[in-house]
């Protein structure tokens, strides 16, 4: 790889509304992955095989698109490799593999709740690094976590498995890494380059766990049930790779150019809400009134965090504006 090229980092122009819209769209794309992929698993593929196909196809699409339209994204300086490898290991491969292990040993609702405790970890990390978060923001995070617990129905078949618990906590750490490393990469370089290389690193790891050549051809051609449609399994894998991976990661990482990780991760809690709603609409899975209540509480918590961040940004901009005349010669 080239080591003598200057950094090609686009100028950062933040826009809170744009960032919020991007992370909401990313949550919709991420949240649809389970609904799209589940029929493929019911047809005979393992979760690891679906993850390998999803990330592997996404990596191929991203690398090919970059090579044709933006080849400069494939040129990486030596000092950029730690960020790209960390993002790929944590934000791509780690989240997928840890979640699948947790879901295999714990109730799915508990596994989801453990993964999406990442906003708390991000808030703690932010606090440890010297940035004080308002008490109201902590309250919004807590409110969103309560809503998430209701949406995930964590009380259904609750059981404790040490390996599953550790894997669930690992998925939370990896999810926090996705937001924190994504924020750093998106604000110092090109988000699409970060996603492309991160996806390639993640694909190498996940495909080592579930090699693509182990995918059974008979299952790939079999019809699956997705609401009123009966697409072949291979079509679902392509859909989850393009919509729920390529588009989701690109939108989510681009949002981190405009929103801090502590805010984006709370808005990202919409993902399990979207997953529950799409599973109810397309797969016929039940949706209780408690889950609806949890959705309202979750959205309320996310709105509180967004509102606090908006006021903080306005105060910071006002402070800069007031300080400028004083500093002028």
């Amino acid at each position: 790889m080239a080591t003598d090229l200057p950094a090609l980092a686009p100028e950062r122009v933040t826009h809170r509304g744009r960032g919020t819209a991007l992370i909401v769209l990313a949550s919709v794309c991420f949240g649809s992955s389970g609904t799209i992929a589940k029929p493929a698993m019911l047809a005979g593929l393992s979760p690891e095989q679906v993850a390998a196909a999803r990330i592997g196809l996404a990596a191929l699409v991203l690398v090919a698109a970059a090579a044709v339209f933006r080849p400069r994204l494939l040129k990486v300086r030596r000092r950029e490799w730690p960020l790209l490898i960390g993002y790929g290991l944590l934000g791509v491969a780690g989240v997928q593999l840890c979640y699948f292990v947790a879901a295999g040993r714990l109730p799915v609702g508990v596994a989801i709740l453990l993964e999406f405790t990442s906003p708390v970890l991000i808030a703690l990390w932010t606090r440890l690094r010297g940035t004080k978060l308002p008490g109201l923001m902590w309250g919004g995070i807590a409110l969103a976590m309560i809503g998430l617990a209701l949406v995930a129905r964590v009380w259904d078949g609750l059981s404790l498995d040490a390996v599953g618990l550790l894997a669930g906590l690992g998925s939370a750490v990896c999810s926090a890494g996705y937001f924190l490393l994504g924020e750093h990469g998106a604000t110092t370089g090109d988000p699409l380059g970060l996603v492309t290389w991160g996806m390639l690193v993640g694909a190498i790891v996940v495909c080592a766990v579930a090699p693509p050549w182990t995918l059974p051809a008979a299952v790939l051609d079999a019809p699956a049930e997705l609401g009123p449609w009966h697409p072949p399994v291979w079509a679902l894998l392509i859909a989850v790779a393009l919509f729920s991976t390529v588009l989701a990661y690109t939108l989510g990482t681009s949002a981190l150019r405009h929103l801090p990780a502590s805010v984006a991760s709370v808005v990202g809690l919409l993902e399990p809400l979207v997953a529950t709603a799409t599973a109810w609409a397309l797969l016929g899975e039940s949706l209780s009134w408690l889950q609806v209540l949890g959705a309202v509480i979750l959205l309320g918590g996310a709105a509180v965090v967004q509102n606090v961040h908006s006021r903080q940004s306005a105060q910071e901009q006002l402070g800069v504006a007031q300080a400028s005349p004083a500093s002028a010669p």
Side-chain angles (χ1 to χ4, degrees), residues 251-280:
L251 291 172
T253 305
S254 298
L256 292 168
R257 288 180 57 80
H258 306 280
L259 294 175
S262 57
V263 175
S265 61
V266 176
V267 181
L269 292 174
L270 293 173
E271 181 182 334
L273 176 58
V274 171
T276 302
T278 55
W280 168 74

PDB file of all heavy atoms in Angstrom, residues 251-280:
ATOM      1  N   LEU A 251     -24.222   4.654   5.854  1.00  0.00           N
ATOM      2  CA  LEU A 251     -25.044   5.704   6.461  1.00  0.00           C
ATOM      3  C   LEU A 251     -24.651   5.950   7.918  1.00  0.00           C
ATOM      4  O   LEU A 251     -24.528   7.093   8.362  1.00  0.00           O
ATOM      5  CB  LEU A 251     -26.520   5.317   6.382  1.00  0.00           C
ATOM      6  CG  LEU A 251     -27.162   5.315   4.992  1.00  0.00           C
ATOM      7  CD1 LEU A 251     -28.559   4.721   5.066  1.00  0.00           C
ATOM      8  CD2 LEU A 251     -27.216   6.720   4.421  1.00  0.00           C
ATOM      9  N   GLY A 252     -24.466   4.847   8.666  1.00  0.00           N
ATOM     10  CA  GLY A 252     -24.159   4.979  10.082  1.00  0.00           C
ATOM     11  C   GLY A 252     -22.826   5.660  10.329  1.00  0.00           C
ATOM     12  O   GLY A 252     -22.711   6.529  11.205  1.00  0.00           O
ATOM     13  N   THR A 253     -21.807   5.294   9.568  1.00  0.00           N
ATOM     14  CA  THR A 253     -20.498   5.902   9.758  1.00  0.00           C
ATOM     15  C   THR A 253     -20.489   7.348   9.270  1.00  0.00           C
ATOM     16  O   THR A 253     -19.842   8.210   9.875  1.00  0.00           O
ATOM     17  CB  THR A 253     -19.420   5.086   9.025  1.00  0.00           C
ATOM     18  OG1 THR A 253     -19.491   3.716   9.463  1.00  0.00           O
ATOM     19  CG2 THR A 253     -18.027   5.616   9.316  1.00  0.00           C
ATOM     20  N   SER A 254     -21.216   7.638   8.199  1.00  0.00           N
ATOM     21  CA  SER A 254     -21.322   9.023   7.729  1.00  0.00           C
ATOM     22  C   SER A 254     -22.017   9.901   8.769  1.00  0.00           C
ATOM     23  O   SER A 254     -21.680  11.082   8.916  1.00  0.00           O
ATOM     24  CB  SER A 254     -22.094   9.069   6.406  1.00  0.00           C
ATOM     25  OG  SER A 254     -21.408   8.355   5.397  1.00  0.00           O
ATOM     26  N   ALA A 255     -22.983   9.322   9.497  1.00  0.00           N
ATOM     27  CA  ALA A 255     -23.677  10.090  10.532  1.00  0.00           C
ATOM     28  C   ALA A 255     -22.728  10.545  11.627  1.00  0.00           C
ATOM     29  O   ALA A 255     -22.933  11.596  12.254  1.00  0.00           O
ATOM     30  CB  ALA A 255     -24.804   9.252  11.136  1.00  0.00           C
ATOM     31  N   LEU A 256     -21.665   9.773  11.860  1.00  0.00           N
ATOM     32  CA  LEU A 256     -20.720  10.101  12.927  1.00  0.00           C
ATOM     33  C   LEU A 256     -19.824  11.286  12.575  1.00  0.00           C
ATOM     34  O   LEU A 256     -19.052  11.730  13.408  1.00  0.00           O
ATOM     35  CB  LEU A 256     -19.874   8.869  13.250  1.00  0.00           C
ATOM     36  CG  LEU A 256     -20.658   7.731  13.910  1.00  0.00           C
ATOM     37  CD1 LEU A 256     -19.838   6.447  13.923  1.00  0.00           C
ATOM     38  CD2 LEU A 256     -21.072   8.113  15.325  1.00  0.00           C
ATOM     39  N   ARG A 257     -19.930  11.791  11.355  1.00  0.00           N
ATOM     40  CA  ARG A 257     -19.280  13.060  11.021  1.00  0.00           C
ATOM     41  C   ARG A 257     -20.057  14.234  11.604  1.00  0.00           C
ATOM     42  O   ARG A 257     -19.537  15.344  11.710  1.00  0.00           O
ATOM     43  CB  ARG A 257     -19.174  13.237   9.497  1.00  0.00           C
ATOM     44  CG  ARG A 257     -18.157  12.330   8.840  1.00  0.00           C
ATOM     45  CD  ARG A 257     -18.111  12.557   7.331  1.00  0.00           C
ATOM     46  NE  ARG A 257     -17.817  13.931   6.989  1.00  0.00           N
ATOM     47  CZ  ARG A 257     -16.592  14.461   6.993  1.00  0.00           C
ATOM     48  NH1 ARG A 257     -15.564  13.713   7.343  1.00  0.00           N
ATOM     49  NH2 ARG A 257     -16.401  15.716   6.645  1.00  0.00           N
ATOM     50  N   HIS A 258     -21.312  14.006  11.954  1.00  0.00           N
ATOM     51  CA  HIS A 258     -22.186  15.087  12.404  1.00  0.00           C
ATOM     52  C   HIS A 258     -22.650  14.936  13.853  1.00  0.00           C
ATOM     53  O   HIS A 258     -23.053  15.916  14.472  1.00  0.00           O
ATOM     54  CB  HIS A 258     -23.425  15.155  11.502  1.00  0.00           C
ATOM     55  CG  HIS A 258     -23.110  15.278  10.043  1.00  0.00           C
ATOM     56  ND1 HIS A 258     -22.765  16.477   9.442  1.00  0.00           N
ATOM     57  CD2 HIS A 258     -23.067  14.349   9.053  1.00  0.00           C
ATOM     58  CE1 HIS A 258     -22.531  16.280   8.156  1.00  0.00           C
ATOM     59  NE2 HIS A 258     -22.708  15.003   7.892  1.00  0.00           N
ATOM     60  N   LEU A 259     -22.635  13.718  14.370  1.00  0.00           N
ATOM     61  CA  LEU A 259     -23.094  13.472  15.739  1.00  0.00           C
ATOM     62  C   LEU A 259     -21.990  12.781  16.531  1.00  0.00           C
ATOM     63  O   LEU A 259     -21.290  11.922  15.992  1.00  0.00           O
ATOM     64  CB  LEU A 259     -24.339  12.559  15.742  1.00  0.00           C
ATOM     65  CG  LEU A 259     -25.625  13.109  15.136  1.00  0.00           C
ATOM     66  CD1 LEU A 259     -26.693  12.013  15.141  1.00  0.00           C
ATOM     67  CD2 LEU A 259     -26.127  14.328  15.893  1.00  0.00           C
ATOM     68  N   PRO A 260     -21.831  13.104  17.812  1.00  0.00           N
ATOM     69  CA  PRO A 260     -20.874  12.363  18.636  1.00  0.00           C
ATOM     70  C   PRO A 260     -21.384  10.957  18.893  1.00  0.00           C
ATOM     71  O   PRO A 260     -22.586  10.675  18.813  1.00  0.00           O
ATOM     72  CB  PRO A 260     -20.824  13.181  19.932  1.00  0.00           C
ATOM     73  CG  PRO A 260     -22.112  13.911  19.980  1.00  0.00           C
ATOM     74  CD  PRO A 260     -22.482  14.207  18.554  1.00  0.00           C
ATOM     75  N   ALA A 261     -20.466  10.051  19.191  1.00  0.00           N
ATOM     76  CA  ALA A 261     -20.835   8.649  19.417  1.00  0.00           C
ATOM     77  C   ALA A 261     -21.849   8.497  20.539  1.00  0.00           C
ATOM     78  O   ALA A 261     -22.732   7.631  20.478  1.00  0.00           O
ATOM     79  CB  ALA A 261     -19.579   7.833  19.718  1.00  0.00           C
ATOM     80  N   SER A 262     -21.748   9.334  21.592  1.00  0.00           N
ATOM     81  CA  SER A 262     -22.662   9.222  22.730  1.00  0.00           C
ATOM     82  C   SER A 262     -24.104   9.488  22.328  1.00  0.00           C
ATOM     83  O   SER A 262     -25.034   8.920  22.909  1.00  0.00           O
ATOM     84  CB  SER A 262     -22.242  10.197  23.838  1.00  0.00           C
ATOM     85  OG  SER A 262     -22.195  11.528  23.346  1.00  0.00           O
ATOM     86  N   VAL A 263     -24.331  10.340  21.332  1.00  0.00           N
ATOM     87  CA  VAL A 263     -25.682  10.640  20.857  1.00  0.00           C
ATOM     88  C   VAL A 263     -26.114   9.631  19.794  1.00  0.00           C
ATOM     89  O   VAL A 263     -27.226   9.089  19.834  1.00  0.00           O
ATOM     90  CB  VAL A 263     -25.755  12.071  20.294  1.00  0.00           C
ATOM     91  CG1 VAL A 263     -27.121  12.350  19.676  1.00  0.00           C
ATOM     92  CG2 VAL A 263     -25.466  13.081  21.397  1.00  0.00           C
ATOM     93  N   ALA A 264     -25.226   9.351  18.832  1.00  0.00           N
ATOM     94  CA  ALA A 264     -25.572   8.435  17.746  1.00  0.00           C
ATOM     95  C   ALA A 264     -25.920   7.041  18.269  1.00  0.00           C
ATOM     96  O   ALA A 264     -26.824   6.377  17.752  1.00  0.00           O
ATOM     97  CB  ALA A 264     -24.418   8.343  16.756  1.00  0.00           C
ATOM     98  N   SER A 265     -25.226   6.595  19.318  1.00  0.00           N
ATOM     99  CA  SER A 265     -25.477   5.256  19.849  1.00  0.00           C
ATOM    100  C   SER A 265     -26.855   5.160  20.497  1.00  0.00           C
ATOM    101  O   SER A 265     -27.488   4.101  20.463  1.00  0.00           O
ATOM    102  CB  SER A 265     -24.399   4.871  20.866  1.00  0.00           C
ATOM    103  OG  SER A 265     -24.392   5.766  21.963  1.00  0.00           O
ATOM    104  N   VAL A 266     -27.340   6.245  21.085  1.00  0.00           N
ATOM    105  CA  VAL A 266     -28.685   6.228  21.684  1.00  0.00           C
ATOM    106  C   VAL A 266     -29.745   6.231  20.593  1.00  0.00           C
ATOM    107  O   VAL A 266     -30.721   5.479  20.655  1.00  0.00           O
ATOM    108  CB  VAL A 266     -28.871   7.419  22.641  1.00  0.00           C
ATOM    109  CG1 VAL A 266     -30.306   7.455  23.176  1.00  0.00           C
ATOM    110  CG2 VAL A 266     -27.898   7.328  23.809  1.00  0.00           C
ATOM    111  N   VAL A 267     -29.568   7.077  19.573  1.00  0.00           N
ATOM    112  CA  VAL A 267     -30.515   7.062  18.458  1.00  0.00           C
ATOM    113  C   VAL A 267     -30.488   5.707  17.759  1.00  0.00           C
ATOM    114  O   VAL A 267     -31.509   5.213  17.273  1.00  0.00           O
ATOM    115  CB  VAL A 267     -30.191   8.196  17.461  1.00  0.00           C
ATOM    116  CG1 VAL A 267     -31.189   8.203  16.306  1.00  0.00           C
ATOM    117  CG2 VAL A 267     -30.215   9.549  18.167  1.00  0.00           C
ATOM    118  N   GLY A 268     -29.315   5.070  17.750  1.00  0.00           N
ATOM    119  CA  GLY A 268     -29.195   3.744  17.150  1.00  0.00           C
ATOM    120  C   GLY A 268     -29.987   2.665  17.855  1.00  0.00           C
ATOM    121  O   GLY A 268     -30.150   1.555  17.331  1.00  0.00           O
ATOM    122  N   LEU A 269     -30.510   2.968  19.055  1.00  0.00           N
ATOM    123  CA  LEU A 269     -31.368   2.010  19.754  1.00  0.00           C
ATOM    124  C   LEU A 269     -32.673   1.767  19.003  1.00  0.00           C
ATOM    125  O   LEU A 269     -33.440   0.865  19.350  1.00  0.00           O
ATOM    126  CB  LEU A 269     -31.675   2.507  21.174  1.00  0.00           C
ATOM    127  CG  LEU A 269     -30.504   2.533  22.161  1.00  0.00           C
ATOM    128  CD1 LEU A 269     -30.912   3.184  23.466  1.00  0.00           C
ATOM    129  CD2 LEU A 269     -29.987   1.127  22.416  1.00  0.00           C
ATOM    130  N   LEU A 270     -32.926   2.576  17.976  1.00  0.00           N
ATOM    131  CA  LEU A 270     -34.088   2.333  17.129  1.00  0.00           C
ATOM    132  C   LEU A 270     -33.975   1.002  16.389  1.00  0.00           C
ATOM    133  O   LEU A 270     -34.975   0.447  15.934  1.00  0.00           O
ATOM    134  CB  LEU A 270     -34.242   3.466  16.109  1.00  0.00           C
ATOM    135  CG  LEU A 270     -34.606   4.853  16.653  1.00  0.00           C
ATOM    136  CD1 LEU A 270     -34.545   5.882  15.536  1.00  0.00           C
ATOM    137  CD2 LEU A 270     -35.991   4.825  17.275  1.00  0.00           C
ATOM    138  N   GLU A 271     -32.734   0.499  16.254  1.00  0.00           N
ATOM    139  CA  GLU A 271     -32.514  -0.737  15.493  1.00  0.00           C
ATOM    140  C   GLU A 271     -33.342  -1.915  15.996  1.00  0.00           C
ATOM    141  O   GLU A 271     -34.052  -2.553  15.204  1.00  0.00           O
ATOM    142  CB  GLU A 271     -31.032  -1.084  15.488  1.00  0.00           C
ATOM    143  CG  GLU A 271     -30.704  -2.335  14.699  1.00  0.00           C
ATOM    144  CD  GLU A 271     -29.234  -2.692  14.757  1.00  0.00           C
ATOM    145  OE1 GLU A 271     -28.409  -1.789  14.963  1.00  0.00           O
ATOM    146  OE2 GLU A 271     -28.914  -3.884  14.600  1.00  0.00           O
ATOM    147  N   PRO A 272     -33.298  -2.267  17.295  1.00  0.00           N
ATOM    148  CA  PRO A 272     -34.142  -3.381  17.745  1.00  0.00           C
ATOM    149  C   PRO A 272     -35.628  -3.087  17.624  1.00  0.00           C
ATOM    150  O   PRO A 272     -36.433  -4.004  17.469  1.00  0.00           O
ATOM    151  CB  PRO A 272     -33.733  -3.580  19.210  1.00  0.00           C
ATOM    152  CG  PRO A 272     -33.088  -2.308  19.616  1.00  0.00           C
ATOM    153  CD  PRO A 272     -32.435  -1.775  18.387  1.00  0.00           C
ATOM    154  N   LEU A 273     -36.006  -1.813  17.691  1.00  0.00           N
ATOM    155  CA  LEU A 273     -37.408  -1.446  17.486  1.00  0.00           C
ATOM    156  C   LEU A 273     -37.832  -1.749  16.052  1.00  0.00           C
ATOM    157  O   LEU A 273     -38.902  -2.320  15.812  1.00  0.00           O
ATOM    158  CB  LEU A 273     -37.593   0.041  17.802  1.00  0.00           C
ATOM    159  CG  LEU A 273     -38.968   0.646  17.565  1.00  0.00           C
ATOM    160  CD1 LEU A 273     -40.019  -0.088  18.372  1.00  0.00           C
ATOM    161  CD2 LEU A 273     -38.963   2.130  17.914  1.00  0.00           C
ATOM    162  N   VAL A 274     -36.971  -1.385  15.098  1.00  0.00           N
ATOM    163  CA  VAL A 274     -37.248  -1.690  13.692  1.00  0.00           C
ATOM    164  C   VAL A 274     -37.277  -3.201  13.475  1.00  0.00           C
ATOM    165  O   VAL A 274     -38.136  -3.728  12.759  1.00  0.00           O
ATOM    166  CB  VAL A 274     -36.187  -1.035  12.782  1.00  0.00           C
ATOM    167  CG1 VAL A 274     -36.333  -1.512  11.333  1.00  0.00           C
ATOM    168  CG2 VAL A 274     -36.293   0.479  12.856  1.00  0.00           C
ATOM    169  N   ALA A 275     -36.348  -3.913  14.117  1.00  0.00           N
ATOM    170  CA  ALA A 275     -36.303  -5.370  13.972  1.00  0.00           C
ATOM    171  C   ALA A 275     -37.595  -6.015  14.464  1.00  0.00           C
ATOM    172  O   ALA A 275     -38.150  -6.915  13.820  1.00  0.00           O
ATOM    173  CB  ALA A 275     -35.108  -5.930  14.744  1.00  0.00           C
ATOM    174  N   THR A 276     -38.088  -5.548  15.610  1.00  0.00           N
ATOM    175  CA  THR A 276     -39.325  -6.100  16.165  1.00  0.00           C
ATOM    176  C   THR A 276     -40.514  -5.789  15.267  1.00  0.00           C
ATOM    177  O   THR A 276     -41.363  -6.649  15.006  1.00  0.00           O
ATOM    178  CB  THR A 276     -39.565  -5.530  17.581  1.00  0.00           C
ATOM    179  OG1 THR A 276     -38.444  -5.840  18.411  1.00  0.00           O
ATOM    180  CG2 THR A 276     -40.821  -6.128  18.194  1.00  0.00           C
ATOM    181  N   ALA A 277     -40.580  -4.552  14.780  1.00  0.00           N
ATOM    182  CA  ALA A 277     -41.715  -4.137  13.950  1.00  0.00           C
ATOM    183  C   ALA A 277     -41.732  -4.868  12.611  1.00  0.00           C
ATOM    184  O   ALA A 277     -42.791  -5.316  12.146  1.00  0.00           O
ATOM    185  CB  ALA A 277     -41.675  -2.626  13.728  1.00  0.00           C
ATOM    186  N   THR A 278     -40.558  -5.003  11.965  1.00  0.00           N
ATOM    187  CA  THR A 278     -40.526  -5.693  10.672  1.00  0.00           C
ATOM    188  C   THR A 278     -40.792  -7.185  10.826  1.00  0.00           C
ATOM    189  O   THR A 278     -41.423  -7.803   9.952  1.00  0.00           O
ATOM    190  CB  THR A 278     -39.176  -5.476   9.973  1.00  0.00           C
ATOM    191  OG1 THR A 278     -38.107  -5.877  10.858  1.00  0.00           O
ATOM    192  CG2 THR A 278     -38.992  -4.020   9.592  1.00  0.00           C
ATOM    193  N   ALA A 279     -40.327  -7.779  11.928  1.00  0.00           N
ATOM    194  CA  ALA A 279     -40.615  -9.196  12.172  1.00  0.00           C
ATOM    195  C   ALA A 279     -42.105  -9.406  12.388  1.00  0.00           C
ATOM    196  O   ALA A 279     -42.680 -10.426  11.968  1.00  0.00           O
ATOM    197  CB  ALA A 279     -39.831  -9.694  13.387  1.00  0.00           C
ATOM    198  N   TRP A 280     -42.756  -8.449  13.039  1.00  0.00           N
ATOM    199  CA  TRP A 280     -44.210  -8.538  13.232  1.00  0.00           C
ATOM    200  C   TRP A 280     -44.944  -8.405  11.896  1.00  0.00           C
ATOM    201  O   TRP A 280     -45.888  -9.146  11.611  1.00  0.00           O
ATOM    202  CB  TRP A 280     -44.654  -7.430  14.196  1.00  0.00           C
ATOM    203  CG  TRP A 280     -46.130  -7.234  14.253  1.00  0.00           C
ATOM    204  CD1 TRP A 280     -47.049  -8.044  14.869  1.00  0.00           C
ATOM    205  CD2 TRP A 280     -46.879  -6.171  13.654  1.00  0.00           C
ATOM    206  NE1 TRP A 280     -48.317  -7.535  14.690  1.00  0.00           N
ATOM    207  CE2 TRP A 280     -48.243  -6.392  13.956  1.00  0.00           C
ATOM    208  CE3 TRP A 280     -46.520  -5.045  12.911  1.00  0.00           C
ATOM    209  CZ2 TRP A 280     -49.244  -5.520  13.519  1.00  0.00           C
ATOM    210  CZ3 TRP A 280     -47.512  -4.185  12.476  1.00  0.00           C
ATOM    211  CH2 TRP A 280     -48.850  -4.426  12.785  1.00  0.00           C
TER     212      TRP A 280
END
